Amino acid sequence: MRRTRNVIILVVVLALLAGTYVYLTKHPQQAEQDTESVEISKLNKDDIVKMMLESKDGSLTFIKKDDKWVAEGNESIGLNQTTVDDIAYTFASLYAEQVVEENPQDLAQYGLKEPVVKATATLKDNTTKTLYLGNKTPTGTYYLMTEGDPKVYEVWMNHGEHLSYTLNDVRDKTLPQINTQELTYLKMWKEGGRTIEIKTNESQTEDQAQFGLGLWQMTQPYSEPVGVDTQNFQPVLDALPNIAIEGFVEDNPKDLAQYGLDKPKGELIVKDKQNTLHILIGDDKDDTQVYFKTADSPSVYVMSKDKLSFMDTKPYDIMEKFAYIVNINDVDRIIVEAKGKTHDITLTRTTKKAEEEGEEDEEVTTYKVDGKVVEEDPFKKYYQSLIGMTVDAENDKQLEEVPEVKTTFFLNKGNKREVHVNYVPYNNDFYAVFRGDKAEFVLSKQQVDKMLQDLEDLIAGKLKAD
């Protein structure tokens, strides 16, 4: 019984296939026509100079100026040129998936009695092309008609989306992109915090670059510039590319106070060798987003608050911790005063002429402590002890500058040729470090004691190079 039923089904299937074959062989042209797209509009895209989209929500007009699209009446708003071009491509190369009805009697069923969108393109020769967009079909495509043609077409969904664009859909949502590998400047502050300002260190030496030191200098908030710790600064650099417009709020607000942007709650300025990103931060929109604007535009946007969390970075966390570091080649003399003694350290440089042609002259440095010549390697070991001292915390006390240990550096380059770094007791374990009449950091007395002991060992000839 089951075998008989299967045979019957097989016969029916074969009969249907045979019938289809016979039909196609007798109607080959008709079969080909059914699979071909129908041309609706074919224009030269570059000849389009104006496009108008009219809907129940209003009209939106784009005009070509200097080979760029602008929104008529809103010329100050940056547009995503590629997105606007999508509309032009629809006018320039529009094909139907199929003709739905040749002479429709009821346009309302297609949303074309009162079209959802009336789209008109104007060409250089002042001729126009008008399209009428209807409803979306159950499969996601769209119904469409053209002016002067009674047919109703079905068009690809992208065409329907292009003709339905609003100003928000086509506005440029990008911000200036900063190449963090070429960062030259950063300034940031948030309400309740301190301003951090970082600049490229123009005087970075080859030795510093080799060890990742001295690439940037922090010029705020401290009274004297300090180096930036590249490793600790990296999370800030990593966060910068994530800054983005996530939503549009208002183009020309009459009152920025409603967004907290009349008196911003924060500011970020970042520069590389080509671009500048400058944003002002306002109130929280909600628990997850914050209002912001660019400095050169009135438009208000929102972005996720967590994308700005790097602005909570504390300046101490990303600074190099050296009490004072300077390249030995920039130093001519150092005076160290401590425990009733004053030591005078000098570095005298002379040029030794090359003995043979083609060889370079050699710079020879003579190191002396209190007029006595010391060997180069032990001296450099002491120098590392002197400039290698690192601070342990920020100073939270008001102290009078009455130092137990004083160091004075005499430099041979830069605007400031005499630098005083003095050490004033903070408590039994720490010194406050005074530079430029201010003590902003503290360091352990152990480091200073070791530096002084290394100096005594250098004088006594006991300090050995590693």
Side-chain angles (χ1 to χ4, degrees), residues 386-401:
L386 175 63
I387 65 168
M389 292 188 291
T390 55
V391 300
D392 295 288
E394 291 184 323
N395 176 32
D396 59 359
K397 290 183 180 180
Q398 291 290 332
L399 298 172
E400 186 178 352
E401 189 173 4

Side-chain angles (χ1 to χ4, degrees), residues 3 46 127 142 306 316 403 447 456 461:
R3 182 178 299 175
D46 295 333
T127 58
Y142 283 83
D306 59 6
Y316 183 80
Q447 295 185 77
E456 293 297 331

Side-chain angles (χ1 to χ4, degrees), residues 250-261:
E250 189 174 357
D251 269 319
N252 294 290
K254 295 180 180 179
D255 183 13
L256 286 172
Q258 61 185 314
Y259 307 114
L261 286 164

